[in-house]
Amino acid sequence: MIDDSTRQLCFDGRNVPFRPGQSVGAALAAAGISSWRTTRVGAAPRGLFCGIGVCYDCLVTVDGRRSQRACMTPAHEGQVVASDDPRRALDEPGGPNA
Amino acid sequence: MPDRTRSDYDLCVVGAGPAGLNATVTAGERGLRVALVDVGVQPGGQYWRHPDERFPDTLPQPSATRRHGWREYRDLDARLDALVRGGRVVHLAGRHVWGVHPGRPFLVRATAAGEDADPVVVHARRIVLATGAYDRQLPVPGWTTPGVMAAGGVQALLAGHHVRAGRRVVVAGTGPFLLSVAAGLAEAGAEVVAVCEANALTGWAAHPLRTLQEPGKLVEGAGYVTTLLRHRVPFRTRTVITAVHGTGRVTGATLRRVDRRGRARAGSEERVDADLVALGWGFIPQLELAVGVGAATRVDVDGSLVAVVDDDQRSSVSGVYLAGEVTGVGGAVQSGAEGALAGLTAAADAGRADDPRLRARLRRRIARAHRFAVAMHRASSVPVDWPTWLADDTLVCRCEEVDTGTVRAAVRDLAADDPRDVRVTARPGMGMCQGRMCGFALSCLVSVETAVTPAAADLASLATRPLATPVRLAELAEMADGEEG
Amino acid sequence: MTFRGPAPDAVIVGAGMLGAAVAYFAAAAGMSVIVVERGSIASGTTSRCEGNLLLSDKEVGPELELAHYSQYVWRGELAEHADLWEFEAKGGLVAAASEAQRAGLDALAEHQRSLGIRAEPVEGPAALREIEPAIAPHLLGGVYYPEDAQVQPVLAAHHLLRLARERGAEVRTHLPVTGIRIVGGRAVGVNTPDGAIDAGAVVVCAGPWSGDVARLAGVDLPIRPRRGFVLVTEPIPVTIRHKVYSAEYVENVASSDSGLQVSPVVEGTPSGTVLIGSSRERVGFDAGFSAEAVGRIASAAARLFPVLADVQVMRTYSGFRPYSPDHLPVIGEDARMPGLWHAAGHEGAGIGLSVGTGRLLVQAMRHATPDVSLLPFRPHRFADADAA
């Protein structure tokens, strides 16, 4: 690979490298991570499916914002990405992530 | 609150793929003030998806020798750039249009698609909808396992991010697009275990004259075949995936030989190891904006709902033009010509000079590409008996986790008797994707149970999505403040 | 195709919630019925509403009596099926934003208590947040109605019709009624593209379209559509536990204004989505998107529950409430056309009131004295008023 500009985001406490211009979903996929969400009913793992922003299966929490599409969200240095948990309560407005 | 309103455009083009780009530059170069609104951070759509140009050193760009149509894209992009610099066109990138509404005469409302853009409201006199298409999917046992992806998604990761989503891959479904995905994967170093084409290869070869009238397609296809041969990728016709294996991550798939109708042949089971399964059954046009403005629709030869246009790309709604896959899936060449024609018509309808020779040339190009597309659709149809691959516990709706048995029970026990009725009764299609992934499959399953072929009205009801993408409640609330006044 | 065999006791026009309820109670009483529906089951207002079983927005008089009776049917005779239609006794909470609203709510609650409705005062913001933790802190208090409940109306209609079919009823969907057959000044059946269906009685359960159906018999029934929008959010963790609305809601329900009225109504559902209403406007059968209505609903809901501001709305839909000039439904035989019966016009309360309506109507059809007097709901009362 040609680049020496690899950056890192943090996924569930683990450093994941990415190259500028990649999406969060691409970075996770490149790192061999294939799921980051569990479903509400079957508690089944999900990750990228359509890859182009249509299926909403790759939802992930990015810097505290819930339900972001990993395939549509650009990766940034130092970004905190967390698996989406369907049971985690909403943040109160004015809270740390408001 | 920032001023989000963009007023007084002669034309708003939605989508910056081959159709939208052509519409924009054609209309812009004829003097219209154009707002181009697109989900992508840069133009190109799905067909010309390429790495983020802001980082050319880390993610190399395609080259004209290696990417079909790349020279055309570069030309369009340069023309767009000139129009933007000249102030004729504003390119509102990274915005997803969620609604086209009445108001002087149209209001186009868009929300941020990623995180770097503000919502916008565009006032425009005319609209070109060039919203493209996404992969059509059929459920199969195990298809919700991570590592199963739409073929187009696998392609998007390769083309846009230089990411190979797996090491050992099975590509399955129908249509020539599978070849392109498999070739891309093989060139990126993946081991493509098999390309499974549900139809017989003879189908594609059955219309050689039509193929020859579209030489670009032939060259493109030949290129993929050469690549696949070089990488010794097995190409299997009349073969489908009937199950995907693995918990938490794909470990393999079961392949079956099928007959013409898609029924699995006894004893043809074969299990292969893989960590990625790419599925594609053709494409579904993104029709919700067209349906939302009230454009007339019909069922196309491939079973998709498409919008009706006249010979000049006008929809049935005054001031709304349609171009590209929304008028019927036909590929990039047809989309580009339709886009240019839509831009030309919009300009002429706005009082700019017409160009009859260009118009005639575009119409010929569209007609030729359309004949090819029809032949391709006939050769790459979804096998009618595909529902026989499903188990009762196979999920149909990925979002709401509704399985096949529940869908069938809604018809058999509760007398739900059309796709919309099943949807509101058993909830398939009621989740975040609003039925985009399961809508086609749902209409097939209901059709099997009721023995009624879905009509355009049934499919239009499934394609009715007042919000073309989810919008934050606070953003909707801004409409109450008269911010568009 | 034609319909052979003995004429059924009744042909029911419309397979929405009202048609389903009438069919169920008729079949349960041993009557033979055919339900004729131009779309699919529950394809009209029933699939475009929230499924409320409310006492909290009822003030006084015959509608309250019907609401009480319906609650008794939902929780009594139909209790064994409650899970089929996701019956949920979630309770309703009405919140006041000003002292004046609070005084108004208190007075209404006191009156409702005298009529037998459980209406519990909620004193102050802290008490309000104890019941509904995410509610906006600026709200001053309100009234809690433990009897308010909800069902999934599409499932309720489908299952009531399934139960009716098991008792011999026939349901014909995608079959429009093109005419009402009249012999000797009496309605004796309906015409359809598949042939005539003769019956002992014709029951119009066509919701906001009931006026159109009645007109086929030459009868004027002033039922009009009153449009409402609902916003549906992405599925979220349990955040809102009750049906929560603001004090203006009660005023808007009772008003006859034809202009746009908006008052927030917010509730969670078993599938995780939050349903957000409500708007009222008389614009005919225009099903188009209204930025003003949707925007004002969103704005009002975000004020009621600030926590929802960043939640994504994934769809909106609109429906048409069957509105009658005096806000009361029409239930019973039409004195102007013997054999023609009506069960329609419940405006925004049709799901909750359906089962009481169906049970009472069938009692009347079988010449029994209804458990609740249907006199205030007589279909020809508007003609009486014109004459007077």
Side-chain angles (χ1 to χ4, degrees), chain B residues 417 420-421 430 434 471-472, chain C residues 47 158 173 310-311 313 315:
Chain B
D417 63 358
R420 179 192 177 273
D421 193 2
M430 296 285 264
Q434 292 290 287
V471 184
R472 288 168 55 247
Chain C
S47 58
H158 279 85
T173 54
D310 282 329
V311 170
V313 178
R315 65 174 167 270

Side-chain angles (χ1 to χ4, degrees), chain B residues 180-446:
Chain B
S180 134
V181 175
L185 282 165
E187 290 197 317
E191 181 188 352
V192 181
V193 185
V195 178
C196 303
E197 163 60 56
N199 288 286
L201 189 59
T202 50
W204 295 356
H207 306 278
L209 283 176
R210 288 183 181 141
T211 309
L212 285 175
Q213 284 169 350
E214 196 64 10
K217 290 272 186 192
L218 203 64
V219 172
E220 191 175 336
Y224 299 139
V225 171
T226 307
T227 303
L228 296 177
L229 286 173
R230 195 170 65 240
H231 290 276
R232 299 179 191 284
V233 172
F235 181 72
R236 308 200 183 177
T237 56
R238 287 274 168 82
T239 305
V240 302
I241 289 178
T242 53
V244 179
H245 308 292
T247 45
R249 171 84 211 204
V250 168
T251 56
T254 297
L255 315 185
R256 300 284 298 266
R257 296 267 297 151
V258 290
D259 66 14
R260 180 185 299 273
R261 293 179 59 87
R263 295 241 171 203
R265 292 186 187 279
S268 66
E269 250 177 80
E270 181 190 348
R271 178 140 173 185
V272 295
D273 291 338
D275 64 354
L276 177 66
V277 169
L279 299 174
W281 293 95
F283 296 92
I284 293 183
Q286 299 237 60
L287 218 61
E288 50 274 327
L289 295 178
V291 169
V293 297
T297 55
R298 63 182 174 85
V299 181
D300 203 7
V301 59
D302 63 347
S304 281
L305 186 77
V306 300
V308 175
V309 285
D310 69 8
D311 288 345
D312 299 305
Q313 303 303 130
R314 293 184 194 90
S315 77
S316 64
V317 177
S318 175
V320 178
Y321 308 80
L322 305 166
E325 315 292 34
V326 289
T327 71
V329 171
V333 171
Q334 183 177 342
S335 294
E338 289 188 11
L341 184 54
L344 184 64
T345 304
D349 288 353
R352 304 304 196 278
D354 195 12
D355 182 342
R357 289 180 61 186
L358 174 61
R359 184 175 297 278
R361 196 162 73 235
L362 291 170
R363 279 181 182 164
R364 281 197 302 277
R365 195 182 300 168
I366 291 165
R368 201 165 56 222
H370 179 69
R371 283 194 296 275
F372 180 79
V374 169
M376 206 53 102
H377 287 319
R378 295 228 161 94
S380 318
S381 60
V382 170
V384 285
D385 285 339
W386 72 265
T388 58
W389 312 336
L390 304 180
D392 263 358
D393 65 355
T394 306
L395 292 189
V396 176
C397 170
R398 303 171 64 93
C399 301
E400 291 295 297
E401 299 170 80
V402 181
D403 64 26
T404 309
T406 305
V407 167
R408 288 174 175 154
V411 180
R412 292 175 188 174
D413 302 338
L414 294 181
D417 63 358
D418 60 36
R420 179 192 177 273
D421 193 2
V422 173
R423 181 175 185 253
V424 294
T425 306
R427 300 191 61 78
M430 296 285 264
M432 277 297 266
C433 91
Q434 292 290 287
R436 288 175 174 89
M437 292 301 111
C438 69
F440 178 82
L442 177 65
S443 68
C444 293
L445 283 175
V446 174

Side-chain angles (χ1 to χ4, degrees), chain C residues 181-382:
Chain C
R181 294 161 63 74
I182 298 166
V183 174
R186 185 180 170 83
V188 297
V190 297
N191 290 321
T192 77
D194 281 0
I197 306 174
D198 283 330
V202 176
V203 188
V204 181
C205 300
W209 298 274
S210 294
D212 298 338
V213 178
R215 199 169 305 119
L216 297 174
V219 164
D220 178 49
L221 198 68
I223 306 291
R224 306 273 182 265
R226 197 178 186 195
R227 185 172 73 179
F229 279 91
V230 175
L231 284 54
V232 186
T233 72
E234 62 180 312
I236 59 171
V238 176
T239 304
I240 294 158
R241 292 162 172 76
H242 307 88
K243 181 185 179 73
V244 184
Y245 51 102
S246 76
E248 308 107 76
Y249 179 80
V250 181
E251 299 160 19
N252 288 359
V253 168
S255 97
S256 300
D257 200 322
S258 62
L260 174 65
Q261 297 173 299
V262 169
S263 51
V265 182
V266 181
E267 61 199 307
T269 70
S271 60
T273 57
V274 177
L275 302 183
I276 300 174
S278 66
S279 65
R280 293 176 154 67
E281 55 191 323
R282 284 166 58 191
V283 290
F285 286 106
D286 176 0
F289 184 84
S290 163
E292 190 190 359
V294 170
R296 283 176 57 187
I297 291 170
S299 171
R303 277 199 302 278
L304 195 57
F305 283 100
V307 69
L308 295 179
D310 282 329
V311 170
Q312 303 188 79
V313 178
M314 61 178 183
R315 65 174 167 270
T316 66
Y317 59 86
S318 63
F320 301 105
R321 303 177 184 88
Y323 163 93
S324 87
D326 60 4
H327 300 280
L328 290 180
V330 289
I331 308 170
E333 190 171 21
D334 198 315
R336 300 162 294 182
M337 177 61 66
L340 184 69
W341 296 69
H342 302 283
H346 298 72
E347 202 167 338
I351 304 303
L353 302 180
S354 62
V355 295
T357 300
R359 201 167 190 259
L360 296 169
L361 188 82
V362 168
Q363 288 169 353
M365 292 179 79
R366 292 169 58 75
H367 309 292
T369 304
D371 293 338
V372 171
S373 168
L374 292 178
L375 197 64
F377 308 117
R378 63 193 186 284
H380 46 281
R381 62 183 184 272
F382 308 104

